[in-house]
Amino acid sequence: MEEIIRVENLHKGFDTLKVLKGIDFTVKRGEIISVIGPSGSGKSTLLRCLNHLEVADKGSISFENNYIAKADATGKAIYKRNKEVIKICSNIGMVFQNFNLFPHKSVLGNIIEAPIMVKGKSKKEAVKSAENLLDKVGLKDKRDSYPYQLSGGQKQRVAIARALAMDPEIMLFDEPTSALDPELIGEVLQVIKNLAEERMTMLIVTHEMNFAREISDRIIFMDDGKIVVDGVPDDIFVNPEHPRIKTFLNKVL
Amino acid sequence: MENLANITLFILQGAVVTLKIYSITIIFSIPLGMLFAMGKLTKIPPLRWILEAYTWVFRGTPLLLQLLFVYFGLPYLGMELSREMAAYVTFVVNYAAYFTEIFRAGIQSVEKGQYEAAKALGMNFRMTMRRIIIPQAIKVILPPTGNEAVTLIKDTALASVIALAEILRNAKSMVSRNASIEGYIIAAILYLIMTFVIINIFKHIEKRFAYYQ
Ligand SMILES: Nc1ncnc2c1ncn2[C@@H]1O[C@H](COP(=O)(O)OP(=O)(O)OP(=O)(O)O)[C@@H](O)[C@H]1O
Ligand SMILES: [Mg+2]
C-alpha cells in the first residue's frame, strides 16, 4: 500500500539532551499505529517532528514521497522552504493532550477557521462540513458553545473535528485521553474507534493499553529515544520478547 | 458671572490643546507600541536590545525630565522643536514605550499551545497572529491600556512646563490674574469629565470581549 510517512535515521535533541536517537519507520495509508513506551522515551517529540512542531537535527522525513526534511551527506536534516513545509504539514492533523482549542472562538468557529483561512473554502462550505463533523463526534448541539462551556471529553472531540476539517491524510494523536477524567475517556476513544473503522490513517501515542491492542494494526514500542519493537499487537502483548517491554507492561497493566 | 464665563472660555481653549496632545499621542503611540512589541518578540538580537534599551530609558526616567530635555535640552545639540512638536514627540515616544511593554506582555500571555494548534492546522505566522494570538492578547491588553489612556489625560498637564497653553497652564494664569480659585476648579472639572469619558469607553470595549473566559 501507498506510503504516507517515511522517517529515516531521525535524531532530535534539546541542548545537550538527546531525545530521539535514530528512528526509522514508515506509515502506509489506512494503517493504525499506536506508539507506546515509558515517560520521557521521546514519543511526543517524535510526533511533533512529523508535523514540524519540532525541528529534527538529523535524518529524513517524507510525506507521500515528498521530502519535508532530507539528510545531507553528513546526515544533517535539511528542511524545505518554510512555506512548503507548512503546506505539506497542513495534510497532517494533530490532536493534543490538552486540546488547545481557540478559547475566543465558538465550537463552529474553531472548526471552520483553518478550512477558510488555509484552504480558501467558502464559509458556507466550511460550515456545512463542520456540521457534518460535529454530528460525527456527537456534538451537533454544541455548535455555538464556547470551549469554556464544554467538558474535557467534549473539548477533545471538538479538537478532533477541527483537525478532521482540514481533510488530513493522517491524524496524529498525542495522548488524547491523558488529561481527561476517567469517566470521559470512553467517549473520546469511541470517536477514534469510529475513525479506525473508516480506515483513517492514524498514529496514536497512548497509555491506554487495551485500546491500543484492540484498534492497532501495528504497535511501536519506544524506549530511550529508540524504537525497540515495531510489530503487530501480539508481538507486544502476547509474547513480549524484550525484557524492557515486560517491565513496562508490568507497570502499566 | 461674566468673569466666570470668561475664565471658563479661556480654559476651554486650553482644553483644545490638551485634547490635541492627547489624540496625537494615542494615534501614534498605540501602533508604534504594537510594532515595537512585535520587534521585542522577534529572534533578531540587535533589534531586541535596542528596544529593550528604549523602553528602559523612557519608562525609567520622569516624563517631566523628558519634556524639558526635548524642548530646552535638544537646542544645545542643534535640534530646535516648536513647543507643540516637542510635546507631541515626547508624549508619543514615552507612551509608545509603555504600550510596547503592555502589548508584549499581552502577546506573551497566550499559551504556546495556541501557536502549535494553529501551526498544526497549516496556518502561517501572519494568520496565526492576526486570527488567533492577537484577539486573545487584546483581552489581556485592554485593562492596562485603559489605565494608560486615563493617565495620559492627566500627564498632558506636564506640557505646561514648556509653556504650552493647555488646561493647567491657562487655569494657573487665570488664578493669578484674578487672585481667585475658580480657575483650578474649572480645570479639575474638565479633567474629571475627560477621564470619565475615557473610563467608560474602555469599560464598554472590555465588556465586548467578555464573551469568553
Ligand atoms: N522543548 C523541550 N525542551 C527541553 N527538553 C524537552 C523538550 N521537550 C521534551 N523534552 C525532553 O525530552 C524528553 C522526551 O520527551 P517527550 O515529551 O518526547 O517524552 P514522551 O515519551 O512523550 O513522555 P510522556 O509519556 O511523559 O509524554 C524528556 O526528557 C523531556 O523532558
Ligand atoms: Mg508525551
Side-chain angles (χ1 to χ4, degrees), chain A residues 48 51-53 86 89-90 92-94 96 100-105 113-114 117-118 146 148 162-163 166, chain B residues 111-125 127 130-133 135-136 210-213:
Chain A
R48 292 162 58 80
N51 69 347
H52 199 51
L53 291 181
I86 289 176
C89 289
S90 71
I92 303 175
M94 178 134 184
F96 301 86
N100 292 338
L101 291 180
F102 305 133
H104 61 302
K105 291 190 179 293
E113 179 67 23
M117 295 301 292
V118 178
Y146 280 84
Y148 76 93
R162 178 176 71 175
M166 288 296 286
Chain B
E111 286 173 48
K112 201 171 129 237
Q114 295 289 308
Y115 292 88
E116 295 188 342
K119 188 170 175 186
L121 288 166
M123 297 175 75
N124 62 31
F125 184 74
M127 281 179 208
R130 204 162 62 80
R131 305 280 307 176
I132 307 300
I133 306 303
Q136 291 181 60
Y211 65 91
Y212 76 92
Q213 281 171 357

Side-chain angles (χ1 to χ4, degrees), chain B residues 45-55:
Chain B
L47 183 62
R48 257 179 29 215
W49 297 333
I50 291 168
L51 290 171
E52 215 60 64
Y54 157 67
T55 50

Side-chain angles (χ1 to χ4, degrees), chain A residues 103-124:
Chain A
H104 61 302
K105 291 190 179 293
S106 68
V107 165
L108 187 73
N110 266 272
I111 300 175
I112 64 176
E113 179 67 23
I116 292 174
M117 295 301 292
V118 178
K119 286 203 150 177
K121 273 197 189 179
S122 72
K123 181 155 186 202
K124 206 172 144 195

Side-chain angles (χ1 to χ4, degrees), chain B:
Chain B
M1 208 53 231
E2 191 196 356
N3 197 22
L4 188 64
N6 282 339
I7 296 175
T8 308
L9 206 65
F10 187 64
I11 297 178
L12 273 175
Q13 282 167 12
V16 174
V17 176
T18 294
L19 285 174
K20 223 165 150 190
I21 301 175
Y22 187 81
S23 38
I24 285 176
T25 305
I26 291 287
I27 288 168
F28 287 97
S29 64
I30 287 184
L32 269 181
M34 202 58 132
L35 208 67
F36 293 162
M38 293 291 186
K40 267 201 173 181
L41 295 169
T42 62
K43 291 174 187 117
I44 312 163
L47 183 62
R48 257 179 29 215
W49 297 333
I50 291 168
L51 290 171
E52 215 60 64
Y54 157 67
T55 50
W56 179 55
V57 168
F58 282 89
R59 298 189 325 143
T61 57
L63 177 52
L64 185 55
L65 169 64
Q66 293 164 23
L67 265 174
L68 295 173
F69 185 93
V70 170
Y71 185 64
F72 295 113
L74 285 185
Y76 294 114
L77 302 175
M79 254 171 78
E80 231 165 296
L81 296 175
S82 68
R83 292 177 206 289
E84 288 78 16
M85 224 25 191
Y88 298 155
V89 168
T90 313
F91 275 93
V92 167
V93 174
N94 178 280
Y95 268 77
Y98 283 94
F99 285 130
T100 299
E101 278 307 294
I102 290 172
F103 297 163
R104 181 198 56 74
I107 291 170
Q108 280 185 332
S109 74
V110 179
E111 286 173 48
K112 201 171 129 237
Q114 295 289 308
Y115 292 88
E116 295 188 342
K119 188 170 175 186
L121 288 166
M123 297 175 75
N124 62 31
F125 184 74
R126 272 182 69 104
M127 281 179 208
T128 305
M129 287 314 272
R130 204 162 62 80
R131 305 280 307 176
I132 307 300
I133 306 303
I134 290 175
Q136 291 181 60
I138 285 179
K139 206 178 157 79
V140 178
I141 285 168
L142 272 176
T145 301
N147 282 341
E148 288 303 317
V150 170
T151 305
L152 175 58
I153 286 278
K154 295 173 285 173
D155 275 353
T156 55
L158 291 171
S160 63
V161 298
I162 58 170
L164 254 187
E166 44 67 69
I167 293 177
L168 184 65
R169 186 169 180 93
N170 284 6
K172 224 159 73 185
S173 63
M174 282 297 106
V175 167
S176 37
R177 204 188 68 183
N178 301 328
S180 69
I181 199 171
E182 287 96 335
Y184 286 146
I185 293 173
I186 292 165
I189 291 170
L190 288 180
Y191 285 121
L192 282 172
I193 292 171
M194 289 188 289
T195 49
F196 179 82
V197 170
I198 302 296
I199 287 170
N200 279 288
I201 289 175
F202 271 88
K203 256 195 199 147
H204 183 75
I205 304 176
E206 277 174 42
K207 237 191 227 147
R208 282 194 37 196
F209 280 86
Y211 65 91
Y212 76 92
Q213 281 171 357

Side-chain angles (χ1 to χ4, degrees), chain A residues 13-83:
Chain A
F14 297 101
D15 299 320
T16 57
L17 178 73
K18 290 197 168 109
V19 176
L20 300 179
K21 305 171 180 172
I23 301 278
D24 297 270
F25 75 101
T26 57
V27 182
K28 295 200 180 78
R29 189 175 300 284
E31 267 191 311
I32 293 149
I33 303 173
S34 292
V35 181
I36 63 171
S39 183
S41 56
K43 306 180 297 293
S44 297
T45 307
L46 172 60
L47 234 58
R48 292 162 58 80
C49 281
L50 297 182
N51 69 347
H52 199 51
L53 291 181
E54 300 290 355
V55 178
D57 300 329
K58 282 210 264 174
S60 310
I61 304 168
S62 51
F63 176 82
E64 292 184 333
N65 298 315
N66 290 315
Y67 282 107
I68 299 172
K70 190 172 196 238
D72 68 6
T74 64
K76 190 167 179 285
I78 307 294
Y79 276 83
K80 275 210 168 125
R81 283 176 42 233
N82 202 30
K83 226 175 162 173

